[in-house]
Amino acid sequence: MAMSVGGDSTESSISDINTTPLVDVMLVLLIIFLVTTTVAVQAVQLKLPDVRFDPTMTKPENVSLSVTSAGGQCQVFWGLSPVTHEELLQRAVDKLKAEIARQGGVNAVGLELPEAHIRGDVNAPYRCIGATIYTMQQAGFARVGFISEPPPGGTTER
């Protein structure tokens, strides 16, 4: 910024403001702000479960079901024998009744109901597996689980 002092008439006053130092200071402040500001991660705070591949401790009274599809038709196997959904429901109800009777009735102390373990083919449509789950729950099975195959070479963490 220049000032006019004296009577030299050839010099005129400069009325423009030199903004270059102001812009430099602003850029330096912007860079400092960007460097010191932490990156804000926008996510809902959750505690996600730790996934482990625990070996299944199956009991002989548990039911093993296999679900697959062939030609768009769902196929359910109770053990190794194919069953329809009506047969599956009847067998599941009979299995639960027999297990409850074997353990001393509905009011028996320490009553442990069997579980249903479903092995679903990876190419089976969800409706086949969903219908099997629904049928087992309709029969009274409170615990329905899935059997999966861990990838080869995977290790189990404890």
Side-chain angles (χ1 to χ4, degrees), residues 53-137:
F53 295 106
D54 291 333
T56 303
M57 300 298 289
T58 186
K59 296 179 283 188
E61 60 268 15
N62 289 344
V63 175
S64 177
L65 302 172
S66 300
V67 180
T68 185
S69 68
Q73 296 293 321
C74 299
Q75 293 181 330
V76 179
F77 293 87
W78 181 290
L80 296 176
S81 59
V83 292
T84 64
H85 279 283
E86 293 79 21
E87 293 171 340
L88 177 64
L89 179 62
Q90 190 58 47
R91 275 188 170 193
V93 168
D94 293 343
K95 175 76 175 181
L96 270 181
K97 285 181 180 176
E99 190 60 32
I100 290 171
R102 187 185 69 82
Q103 292 187 25
V106 177
N107 297 325
V109 178
L111 179 66
E112 288 188 28
L113 296 177
E115 302 171 1
H117 295 166
I118 297 175
R119 297 174 58 234
D121 186 69
V122 71
N123 295 321
Y126 177 75
R127 63 181 169 82
C128 298
I129 296 173
T132 305
I133 294 170
Y134 178 74
T135 302
M136 295 307 287
Q137 289 177 337

